[in-house]
Amino acid sequence: QRASDDARIEWGYLYLAIPKSDGLTTAILSDNRSWGAFGNRRGDGTLPDADDSGKPRAASDDTPVLAASIDMGQVADEPVTRHAILALDDLYSVDYFGEKLRPYWRRDGMTAGELLERSAAEVASIVQRCEEFDRELMADLEEIGGPRYADLCALSYRQSIAAHKLVAAPQSGEPWLFSKECFSNGCMATVDVMYPTSPIFMLVSNELLKASLRPVLDYAAMDRWPWPFAPHDLGRYPIADGQIYGGGEKSLDRQMPVEESGNMLLLMAAACKIDGDAKFAESYWPLLSQWAGYLKEKGLDPENQLCTDDFAGHLAHNTNLSLKAIEALGAYAEMCRMTGRVDEADSYRKLAEKFADQWQQMADDGDHYRLAFDKPGTWSQKYNLVWDELLALHLFPKEVIRKELDFYERKLNAYGLPLDNREDYTKLDWEVWTASLAESDEQFQTLMAPVYAFVNNSPDRVPLTDWYWTSDGRRRGFQARSVVGGVFIKALTNKEIWSKWSGRR
């Protein structure tokens, strides 16, 4: 019933399941009694008997806990292992326009008891699969970017995936994946959060990438969405009842027309590239065609509007946003070609090439390219250029990227590359996207060294932030967000490794 940002799930049932064994004691009792007994001065790790007084009490008095103590026995030369299973059964996960959606594992009627029994039976195989997955992925990440890059990906992996909820879609039961925009405004299925998050799914699970796109596409096709561009979000978690950002779906106040339309076209093209066909895009073609038409009209020189870096405020003639539109038009041309729309493919490809040529003239500022077309003496990270190589669009000559990266090396601070000339802060995800443009490992490591320094030395002890100050490594805002999955983008620059992982299901 309550939708907000910095809020935890507050419905459903919590389970603690432990196989019976010698030395096992369990109890349901107050937190004070359980902690006091387990950690008493004797240090014997015992639990008192359960509190069975049955007397009513206020929920805030002596908070009840599920407690378990496992005596591991005498541990000598051989390791001793035991396991416990924690589970949350939320019954229903998301309210989608008044319809309560089941978690995906419940789609065929599985109960919590059955889930626990299956999990207990599969513990050994699950652990083995996880260990093999970890070893292989970490080895590949280290080969691509070095041991520090692999560690950064490992740090980001669980946080990124955990900021999502997988549900069964209405009617079809197909997988839908909803992100939560943690420590920002609580939006769900935020398109410009899906965009930076996408590399982790592009690498290890294209099905989850498509699952995150489906609810947005479903919503955008509704009569209640009135605009010719893509939406920003679907509501505030866990209630998806229409865009709430910037005054809602009926307001133009803080929309991101070029941003979100470009994001959706690029992510759809990426999903099709991984699949090797455009069947997924074909199902939503009227929307994609509409958004491409919008970018054709508005994308080259964007009006005064927000981009995903909305904390920096509105900006007209944003060169990095223009890059996104150009790359998205090129991506749409490729999807046209994949679906047999040859004439449309040729037309949009020529348009994207024309825009790319114009961009270079309009944005040029000598030894770099500007923050905004009309602002000489400014600069910004051009992280959106990463799609030129990932999707093999090749709209821009290599010299454009080389000039930018050489300029960035001169702008590095102790803990990273500022987002642009306006502030000292940066975004972790975009830094890795920018560094991934480098043609040499040497330049990649040069751009990434301050990032690793930030992760190791930041004084803020919080879940990994993606928005911080480059001068002292302190958090500027945000934490625990899914966008840190964006650091996996470097892995996508290795075609053999990307092909190997994306070929799995």
Side-chain angles (χ1 to χ4, degrees):
Q1 294 179 353
R2 183 171 64 92
S4 65
D5 180 21
D6 188 8
R8 310 300 186 265
I9 198 169
E10 57 182 10
W11 66 93
Y13 296 87
L14 180 68
Y15 292 88
L16 171 62
I18 302 180
K20 293 180 180 179
S21 65
D22 294 337
L24 170 67
T25 57
T26 61
I28 301 176
L29 67 170
S30 74
D31 55 350
N32 290 327
R33 290 189 68 208
S34 60
W35 279 113
F38 184 84
N40 60 25
R41 284 178 296 175
R42 290 178 297 162
D44 58 8
T46 59
L47 294 173
D49 293 333
D51 183 357
D52 58 359
S53 65
K55 295 180 180 179
R57 58 161 182 76
S60 59
D61 293 343
D62 292 330
T63 305
V65 298
L66 306 177
S69 173
I70 305 173
D71 187 343
M72 305 293 278
Q74 189 67 29
V75 179
D77 296 332
E78 296 296 323
V80 176
T81 63
R82 298 287 188 272
H83 71 266
I85 299 173
L86 284 171
L88 175 71
D89 178 15
D90 54 4
L91 299 182
Y92 293 95
S93 304
V94 164
D95 184 322
Y96 184 74
F97 294 96
E99 182 172 354
K100 292 182 174 62
L101 304 185
R102 291 285 195 185
Y104 192 67
W105 65 269
R106 266 188 175 274
R107 66 193 181 282
D108 296 323
M110 180 182 282
T111 66
E114 291 168 340
L115 176 68
L116 293 171
E117 289 175 358
R118 177 175 171 178
S119 299
E122 295 180 354
V123 165
S125 64
I126 290 173
V127 169
Q128 181 181 1
R129 287 165 56 201
C130 287
E131 290 177 346
E132 291 173 354
F133 178 93
D134 287 354
R135 283 195 297 269
E136 187 173 1
L137 181 59
M138 288 296 286
D140 285 344
L141 293 171
E142 185 168 341
E143 178 184 338
I144 293 165
R148 293 187 296 177
Y149 173 70
D151 286 345
L152 176 61
C153 290
L155 181 63
S156 306
Y157 186 92
R158 187 178 70 166
Q159 175 175 311
S160 182
I161 294 177
H164 294 83
K165 183 66 180 184
L166 189 66
V167 304
Q171 287 82 51
S172 68
E174 63 187 353
W176 280 12
L177 188 68
F178 286 98
S179 63
K180 179 185 178 186
E181 194 172 336
C182 304
F183 290 86
S184 176
N185 65 356
C187 282
M188 61 190 299
T190 304
V191 175
D192 59 290
V193 166
M194 291 161 45
Y195 177 72
T197 302
S198 63
I200 191 172
F201 297 133
M202 289 172 62
L203 180 68
V204 299
S205 179
N206 194 38
E207 294 308 310
L208 289 180
L209 175 61
K210 292 189 289 187
S212 68
L213 294 167
R214 286 190 186 105
V216 177
L217 294 160
D218 186 79
Y219 170 51
M222 293 182 182
D223 290 339
R224 64 179 293 162
W225 180 251
W227 305 107
F229 48 80
H232 171 274
D233 64 86
L234 267 67
R236 181 167 281 132
Y237 198 93
I239 301 173
D241 58 358
Q243 179 171 317
I244 58 97
Y245 181 80
E249 59 194 12
K250 303 300 182 184
S251 172
L252 260 178
D253 181 39
R254 290 176 63 84
Q255 296 274 18
M256 301 182 186
V258 172
E259 173 71 36
E260 310 302 17
S261 299
N263 290 342
M264 289 299 294
L265 289 174
L266 286 164
L267 295 182
M268 292 293 289
C272 293
K273 175 182 174 65
I274 296 169
D275 277 345
D277 61 61
K279 293 177 182 177
F280 181 57
E282 191 74 73
S283 302
Y284 305 98
W285 198 260
L287 281 175
L288 306 186
S289 180
Q290 178 176 283
W291 295 337
Y294 181 84
L295 294 183
K296 177 180 179 180
E297 180 182 354
K298 301 286 189 179
L300 174 60
D301 190 6
E303 298 166 336
N304 189 36
Q305 57 185 245
L306 294 171
C307 70
T308 183
D309 306 316
D310 55 350
F311 45 79
H314 287 72
L315 179 66
H317 318 298
N318 185 332
T319 60
N320 191 45
L321 188 57
S322 175
L323 283 174
K324 176 172 292 183
I326 296 168
E327 297 289 347
L329 289 169
Y332 178 72
E334 290 304 304
M335 287 189 285
C336 288
R337 202 171 303 282
M338 294 175 77
T339 58
R341 296 172 170 86
V342 179
D343 291 343
E344 191 175 9
D346 291 341
S347 175
Y348 270 93
R349 175 67 193 188
K350 290 176 182 177
L351 178 69
E353 291 173 349
K354 176 184 175 183
F355 281 180
D357 290 340
Q358 290 179 277
W359 187 93
Q360 294 172 61
Q361 302 301 317
M362 296 162 62
D364 189 58
D365 206 47
D367 61 351
H368 68 280
Y369 296 94
R370 302 174 182 179
L371 164 69
F373 291 127
D374 62 337
K375 295 185 181 299
T378 61
W379 65 274
S380 65
Q381 290 189 43
K382 307 302 189 300
Y383 53 82
N384 285 321
L385 268 173
V386 75
W387 297 102
D388 210 48
E389 186 63 33
L390 291 186
L391 296 181
L393 300 175
H394 306 307
L395 293 167
F396 291 86
K398 294 289 188 181
E399 288 71 23
V400 171
I401 295 174
R402 290 170 187 152
K403 183 162 74 170
E404 277 290 285
L405 294 185
D406 289 345
F407 180 81
Y408 297 154
E409 286 193 45
R410 303 195 293 274
K411 295 297 181 180
L412 288 173
N413 287 336
Y415 296 107
L417 176 67
L419 190 61
D420 57 51
N421 61 272
R422 292 173 293 180
E423 292 281 359
D424 178 49
Y425 57 59
T426 194
K427 288 282 271 85
L428 173 67
D429 41 355
W430 301 147
E431 285 183 289
V432 184
W433 286 41
T434 295
S436 296
L437 292 168
E439 294 180 272
S440 69
D441 181 67
E442 181 182 6
Q443 188 169 50
F444 174 76
Q445 299 300 343
T446 296
L447 294 170
M448 288 296 295
V451 177
Y452 302 140
F454 152 70
V455 174
N456 286 326
N457 300 318
S458 173
D460 296 307
R461 314 319 298 166
V462 299
L464 186 60
T465 180
D466 56 287
W467 186 22
Y468 67 93
W469 298 104
T470 60
S471 55
D472 59 13
R474 288 192 173 275
R475 179 176 69 102
R476 172 60 180 84
F478 306 153
Q479 65 191 52
R481 302 211 307 158
S482 70
V483 301
V484 296
V487 303
F488 281 81
I489 201 160
K490 172 64 175 175
L492 305 179
T493 63
N494 185 302
K495 292 180 173 57
E496 288 83 15
I497 288 178
W498 186 12
S499 178
K500 180 184 77 170
W501 282 95
S502 64
R504 304 180 183 191
R505 293 293 182 267

